[in-house]
Amino acid sequence: MERTHAFTSKGAKLVIALGVVASLGFLGACAPQAKPAEPAKAPHATEQTKPASEQHLMVYCGAGMKKAMEQVKTGFEAKNPGAKLDITYAGSGKLLAQLQSTHKGDLFIVGAKPDYENAKKEGLVQDNIPVANHTPAIVVKKGNPKHISSLKDLEKPDVKLVLADAASASIGRTANMIFEKNGINAKKNIKATVGTVTEIVTAVQSSNADAGICTKDSVSEAQDVEAITIPNDQNINQIITASITTFTKNQDLSNKFVAYLKSAEGKKAYSDHGFLPVDK
């Protein structure tokens, strides 16, 4: 009897143990299984592409048309969301030198066609479009205290004259050509040469000079100065030209910019600041 009782106790314990294991197995089978981790998704193609907001055009522009070009910049960027114009203003000679030395940039906009032609000969730019007239004029102090009415008056001994440097700015070369065309010898009256038409206007405004040769448009909005017109038969007109560089990295956007310059809105930006259209 004792031996049977011992066996029965041991058997009972074994049955209980097996039941516990079976229950745990059943619970494990019923428990929700964890999903395997999904592989990370690759970024969508549009996330890897530069947004339009990073499309920049590098523009070389003559300093004498800064106000008009700033209006062009505002209008063009508004019509082409994301496009940005990075503009360098200087005399055309300096701009050409930068183009030659860096071979970087997208557009070359200068105040006289010969500067474009020099760039074209060197293979730096594509075909150009005429933008506006950049007509030379005599700039004098408001009220014209020296009573200057003609090129000949610039030879008077009491006239202090300021001109643009012929190597730096197209208006400097044009002024020399106008003097030569009309037999004007005013070298003794030249007190300073500067880099841009803006500096000529500033010199006359501050009375550091009595007169200078600049452009009508550069005087149209300036304070304390006025322009004396040079007769057509004595003058040498300048035409502002715009061209795309041969090494632009954004031909499509550059084409859009040139098209904007040719549009009514682009032309208005120039006429608003005293530039006459090329068809006049």
Side-chain angles (χ1 to χ4, degrees):
M1 287 293 294
E2 291 179 1
R3 191 179 291 179
T4 302
H5 178 75
F7 172 79
T8 303
S9 298
K10 287 180 180 180
K13 289 179 181 179
L14 179 58
V15 170
I16 292 171
L18 289 173
V20 170
V21 171
S23 298
L24 290 175
F26 174 78
L27 290 173
C30 294
Q33 299 298 310
K35 292 182 179 179
E38 293 183 2
K41 290 184 179 179
H44 195 273
T46 55
E47 295 173 2
Q48 296 176 334
T49 304
K50 273 190 173 183
S53 60
E54 294 184 22
Q55 292 188 24
H56 288 245
L57 289 180
M58 183 186 296
V59 181
Y60 297 96
C61 183
M65 60 189 98
K66 182 174 183 178
K67 289 182 179 179
M69 184 52 61
E70 287 298 312
Q71 186 170 327
V72 167
K73 171 182 166 71
T74 300
F76 179 73
E77 291 179 350
K79 279 190 172 296
N80 297 273
K84 299 295 179 184
L85 299 185
D86 301 324
I87 308 174
T88 297
Y89 295 105
S92 56
K94 289 185 177 179
L95 296 177
L96 179 57
Q98 288 185 47
L99 211 60
Q100 290 167 328
S101 63
T102 65
H103 279 222
K104 291 181 180 180
D106 302 287
L107 292 128
F108 184 60
I109 305 172
V110 288
K113 198 168 182 179
D115 296 300
Y116 157 76
E117 290 171 345
N118 288 335
K120 178 73 170 177
K121 286 177 185 177
E122 295 188 33
L124 301 173
V125 293
Q126 303 173 35
D127 292 339
N128 80 99
I129 63 158
V131 176
N133 283 291
H134 210 29
T135 308
I138 302 169
V139 58
V140 298
K141 190 81 171 176
K142 191 77 172 178
N144 196 6
K146 294 289 184 176
H147 306 292
I148 295 168
S149 61
S150 67
L151 290 169
K152 196 69 177 173
D153 289 338
L154 300 180
E155 295 179 331
K156 291 178 179 179
D158 63 335
V159 172
K160 295 182 295 183
L161 191 60
V162 61
L163 298 176
D165 178 22
S168 301
S170 58
I171 190 63
R173 292 188 294 280
T174 302
N176 289 343
M177 292 166 64
I178 290 172
F179 285 170
E180 185 177 348
K181 176 181 179 178
N182 295 282
I184 303 298
N185 183 9
K187 287 184 178 179
K188 61 184 181 299
N189 290 343
I190 299 173
K191 303 304 178 184
T193 56
V194 295
T196 65
V197 290
T198 305
E199 292 171 89
I200 295 173
V201 172
T202 299
V204 175
Q205 285 173 323
S206 61
S207 298
N208 289 326
D210 299 311
I213 300 292
C214 60
T215 53
K216 282 186 177 181
D217 49 83
S218 62
V219 180
S220 65
E221 297 176 288
Q223 300 292 320
D224 300 323
V225 293
E226 58 187 84
I228 307 298
T229 298
I230 300 172
N232 289 338
D233 62 334
Q234 298 176 23
N235 210 348
I236 298 174
N237 195 33
Q238 299 182 138
I239 302 295
I240 295 170
T241 63
S243 53
I244 301 171
T245 67
T246 54
F247 36 79
T248 179
K249 293 183 178 179
N250 199 332
Q251 183 73 44
D252 289 344
L253 192 59
S254 295
N255 288 340
K256 287 183 180 180
F257 180 78
V258 169
Y260 182 81
L261 285 178
K262 293 164 66 176
S263 71
E265 190 173 335
K267 289 177 180 178
K268 185 178 184 299
Y270 275 85
S271 63
D272 283 351
H273 295 280
F275 295 86
L276 295 175
V278 290
D279 57 350
K280 285 188 180 181

